[in-house]
Amino acid sequence: MADTGPSQALFVQNPGSENCNPTGIGLRALIAEDLRTHDGDVLAQGFWALFWHRFGNWRMGVRPRLLRVPLTLLYRMMHKLCQWMGGIDLPYTVRVGRRVRLEHFGGMILVAQTIGDDVIIRQNTTFGIAGLDALKDRPVIGNRVELGAGAVVVGPIHVGDDAIVGANAVVTKDVPAGAIVGGVPARLIRMKDGFSA
């Protein structure tokens, strides 16, 4: 796969000290949009993982800090419950865009720098670090990306907009926009119509 050379701005880490929910939309509207994205299924584990993620970010805007303490305790308890009951780990420090769909459930470790808008993530997907010597090197997932079941995306890489990562692919290099990749390690299968490598 070609090295797309993403700008370093893509790798700005959320230190967890501010509300990093998408701007231009309030918490209630964002949660309603997440519910619509999950077909209105109020019992969908993916919806609840996103709900508590959004809440975890929203609480960081509550001032003074003392008022945030009970909200933080509630967030931590419910985040852990989402891990236990839904098998989804999505810390509030991950910047998550709008209309993200956590399709199915279980085995999702979603520790990325950012996840863009209109992304579909299927079960048993892992985002994270490539090794213990690089604890902050996490991936950036672009907009309109589809990730197949069991996909693994690790390290400080960028998965470009409109890319498709096949089931059980292990991605350790940048993926160009519009690419379809698969395999272990992931290789370019082809480019979507209208995109070039």
Side-chain angles (χ1 to χ4, degrees):
M1 290 179 291
D3 181 9
T4 60
S7 80
Q8 287 296 15
L10 293 172
F11 297 102
V12 174
Q13 196 157 6
N14 175 7
S17 59
E18 61 188 60
N19 180 353
C20 289
N21 279 328
T23 58
I25 185 169
L27 180 65
R28 289 178 65 175
L30 187 58
I31 290 168
E33 184 178 73
D34 287 338
L35 184 58
R36 285 191 304 275
T37 301
H38 287 84
D39 298 328
D41 183 359
V42 75
L43 298 178
Q45 291 92 341
F47 165 71
W48 284 104
L50 280 167
F51 177 93
W52 291 108
H53 175 275
R54 307 298 194 193
F55 177 87
N57 270 289
W58 169 83
R59 75 185 161 89
M60 296 310 295
V62 172
R63 301 284 186 259
R65 187 174 178 186
L66 187 59
L67 292 177
R68 215 169 44 228
V69 171
L71 301 174
T72 296
L73 293 173
L74 177 61
Y75 164 74
R76 288 181 179 166
M77 183 175 66
M78 298 313 291
H79 176 250
K80 188 56 74 177
L81 192 62
C82 283
Q83 290 175 324
W84 291 344
M85 301 295 287
I88 301 171
D89 182 13
L90 178 61
Y92 81 97
T93 53
V94 178
R95 292 178 188 264
V96 177
R98 296 177 60 182
R99 297 171 305 277
V100 171
R101 183 176 176 110
L102 304 180
E103 191 121 295
H104 314 301
F105 68 96
M108 291 185 183
I109 309 298
L110 306 177
V111 185
Q113 295 285 350
T114 61
I115 299 171
D117 296 334
D118 304 298
V119 173
I120 298 173
I121 304 170
R122 292 182 178 86
Q123 74 272 19
N124 297 321
T125 297
T126 300
F127 303 151
I129 62 171
L132 294 177
D133 57 335
L135 295 177
K136 295 186 179 183
D137 291 349
R138 303 181 309 193
V140 170
I141 310 300
N143 298 317
R144 299 170 304 279
V145 172
E146 291 184 46
L147 294 121
V152 176
V153 183
V154 292
I157 60 172
H158 181 242
V159 178
D161 294 347
D162 302 290
I164 296 176
V165 177
N168 297 314
V170 177
V171 181
T172 58
K173 294 181 182 175
D174 288 345
V175 176
I180 299 173
V181 300
V184 180
R187 296 176 302 283
L188 179 65
I189 296 171
R190 68 178 178 86
M191 298 299 292
K192 286 177 154 179
D193 294 341
F195 290 90
S196 60

